[in-house]
Amino acid sequence: MLSHPRIRSALIQILLLAVLAVTAWYIYQTTRANIIQQRIATGFDFFWVEAGFSINQALIPYSEASNYFRAFLVGLLNTLLVSALGLVFATAVGFAVGIGRLSSNWVIARVCGTYVEVVRNLPLLFQIVFWYLVMIAVLPAPRESVSVFGEAFINRRGFFFPKPIFSEGAGTFLLAVLAALFVAWVAGYFARRRRVATGRSATVWPLQMLALIGIPLAAWLALGMTVSVEHPVLKGMNFTGGLQLIPEFVALLFALSTYTAAFIAEIVRAGILAVRRGQSEAALALGLSRRQSLRLVVVPQALRVIVPPLTSQYLNLIKNSSLAVAIGYPDLVSVFAGTTLTNRGQAIEIIAITMLVYLAISLIVSFAMNLYNRRIALTGQGARA
């Protein structure tokens, strides 16, 4: 019986699974015994215990009387905020620098090349700490704040801006804005479908402008909304009121964006060079300018090469945001896997949840980028057909 290849293969796989199961059971039993012996609390009831510590940046209402679950949400939202903004800025800077490296202008090409070689060869952790220390050293104390038209203020405690405060119905108004964006997107989508199918362009921008202006305006008037502004005011040693961007957030965002942009720039440059020169020459022969040739012919084809490695850089940026703990930015690692873990001591639950959160965020981003990659790949097949 063992001489039969399929039976032998099945037995080997069953044996391997049995070894893995026994190993997992041994680890579980050993861990459980040690936890009981050391009298360490287990479970997730700690989520509903009062946290008892403050967080200097919270996108949702939070105080020391809030529970650990709310502290977890604050850390998660701070991580998502710096990651989302970092992706946007890194993409914009990366594409600009990548295209700039291929510029015929000698100065622009050399400046972009120097930026890439310097930034990507320095450890990210040092860059985060460097920009944070620079901000602390350069910016003035609160009483000597830099004033921007008397409305916004910049000092070493952060950036302070006027805060708009909407009356009741802000949620409904936000839904109206999203509906307007959806209508505009649908109009543009069907216009592109028609152009691809028939070769005829449809003028939809009046409809899009009407939707983007008309729907929010109608919702605003129907809800009778009003808006007031809360200005930052210097009280004691610092400003209160308004919107505040803490220096840790600004330094982290700047370092993450510039560091990831250096890698994205090389990906963009490689993607553009992968497009055959004949494509741009044909576009120029048809009367397109160099800018139109790059925007309408070269970059859309280069995206098929750019998107897969770009996804990896996006995932790296999200995971690198955990380095925020080095400068005290209250992200998920600092708030949950740092302060909460120190206070509660339930390392296995807290670290496991933190890893699952990062895994979930990465899988969602990867899924979205794969969908986009599939879309542009199908578009290419349709064009060749």
Side-chain angles (χ1 to χ4, degrees):
M1 185 174 65
L2 292 176
S3 61
H4 195 286
R6 297 185 63 180
I7 295 177
R8 188 172 62 249
S9 174
L11 288 175
I12 292 174
Q13 293 184 48
I14 292 173
L15 179 61
L16 179 60
L17 288 176
V19 171
L20 291 175
V22 170
T23 304
W25 177 254
Y26 174 77
I27 293 175
Y28 170 75
Q29 287 294 340
T30 304
T31 304
R32 184 169 179 272
N34 289 336
I35 288 175
I36 294 174
Q37 184 180 7
Q38 298 177 22
R39 297 179 180 180
I40 298 175
T42 58
F44 300 95
D45 293 339
F46 72 91
F47 267 129
W48 316 115
V49 177
E50 181 178 309
F53 60 87
S54 60
I55 302 176
N56 59 356
Q57 176 177 298
L59 300 179
I60 57 176
Y62 176 84
S63 67
E64 295 181 2
S66 302
N67 55 35
Y68 282 106
F69 181 71
R70 201 160 190 85
F72 165 78
L73 292 179
V74 171
L76 174 60
L77 291 175
N78 286 340
T79 293
L80 293 177
L81 176 65
V82 74
S83 299
L85 292 178
L87 294 180
V88 173
F89 292 142
T91 304
V93 175
F95 268 76
V97 174
I99 294 174
R101 288 205 69 182
L102 300 173
S103 173
S104 57
N105 186 305
W106 188 88
V107 176
I108 293 177
R110 294 302 178 276
V111 168
C112 292
T114 303
Y115 164 79
V116 170
E117 294 303 330
V118 171
V119 174
R120 73 173 179 175
N121 288 308
L122 292 174
L124 175 59
L125 178 59
F126 290 159
Q127 295 190 43
I128 293 174
V129 175
F130 173 77
W131 290 118
Y132 177 64
L133 294 177
V134 166
M135 289 188 62
I136 297 298
V138 172
L139 295 179
R143 291 189 180 280
E144 289 81 32
S145 298
V146 177
S147 173
V148 182
F149 303 113
E151 297 290 337
F153 302 91
I154 302 173
N155 59 55
R156 65 183 58 171
R157 298 287 182 84
F159 299 72
F160 300 84
F161 305 95
K163 177 182 179 182
I165 299 177
F166 297 92
S167 60
E168 292 186 3
T172 306
F173 177 73
L174 179 61
L175 292 177
V177 172
L178 294 176
L181 292 173
F182 179 73
V183 171
W185 177 81
V186 170
Y189 174 76
F190 282 105
R192 288 193 297 273
R193 289 283 300 269
R194 182 176 183 231
R195 186 173 65 246
V196 172
T198 66
R200 298 177 180 176
S201 299
T203 304
V204 296
W205 69 265
L207 175 62
Q208 291 175 318
M209 293 299 297
L210 180 63
L212 292 175
I213 297 175
I215 294 178
L217 181 60
W220 183 281
L221 295 176
L223 294 171
M225 290 188 62
T226 58
V227 59
S228 58
V229 179
E230 181 183 273
H231 297 275
V233 178
L234 180 62
K235 288 184 178 179
M237 300 300 292
N238 199 6
F239 283 85
T240 59
L243 289 175
Q244 179 187 6
L245 295 178
I246 59 176
E248 292 84 358
F249 171 79
V250 178
L252 177 66
L253 177 62
F254 187 80
L256 284 176
S257 302
T258 52
Y259 180 77
T260 309
F263 292 90
I264 292 178
E266 286 301 273
I267 293 172
V268 171
R269 186 173 71 93
I272 292 176
L273 291 176
V275 179
R276 294 181 178 179
R277 183 181 294 271
Q279 295 290 316
S280 57
E281 292 176 349
L284 295 175
L286 289 173
L288 298 180
S289 65
R290 290 192 178 278
R291 181 174 299 179
Q292 290 174 323
S293 168
L294 183 67
R295 182 170 60 89
L296 300 175
V297 177
V298 177
V299 171
Q301 297 184 66
L303 281 177
R304 298 169 196 163
V305 180
I306 292 172
V307 169
L310 185 65
T311 303
S312 298
Q313 293 305 319
Y314 283 176
L315 300 181
N316 286 340
L317 186 147
I318 294 170
K319 290 179 286 188
N320 287 337
S321 68
S322 62
L323 294 174
V325 69
I327 57 174
Y329 175 70
D331 73 327
L332 180 63
V333 174
S334 176
V335 172
F336 193 59
T339 307
T340 302
L341 174 59
T342 303
N343 290 350
R344 302 303 303 178
Q346 295 182 231
I348 294 178
E349 293 91 338
I350 291 174
I351 296 299
I353 292 173
T354 305
M355 290 194 300
L356 287 175
V357 168
Y358 275 99
L359 177 63
I361 296 173
S362 298
L363 290 177
I364 291 172
V365 172
S366 180
F367 177 73
M369 292 299 292
N370 286 337
L371 284 181
Y372 180 68
N373 188 38
R374 184 179 303 175
R375 178 175 175 270
I376 60 177
L378 288 174
T379 301
Q381 291 173 1
R384 286 192 296 270

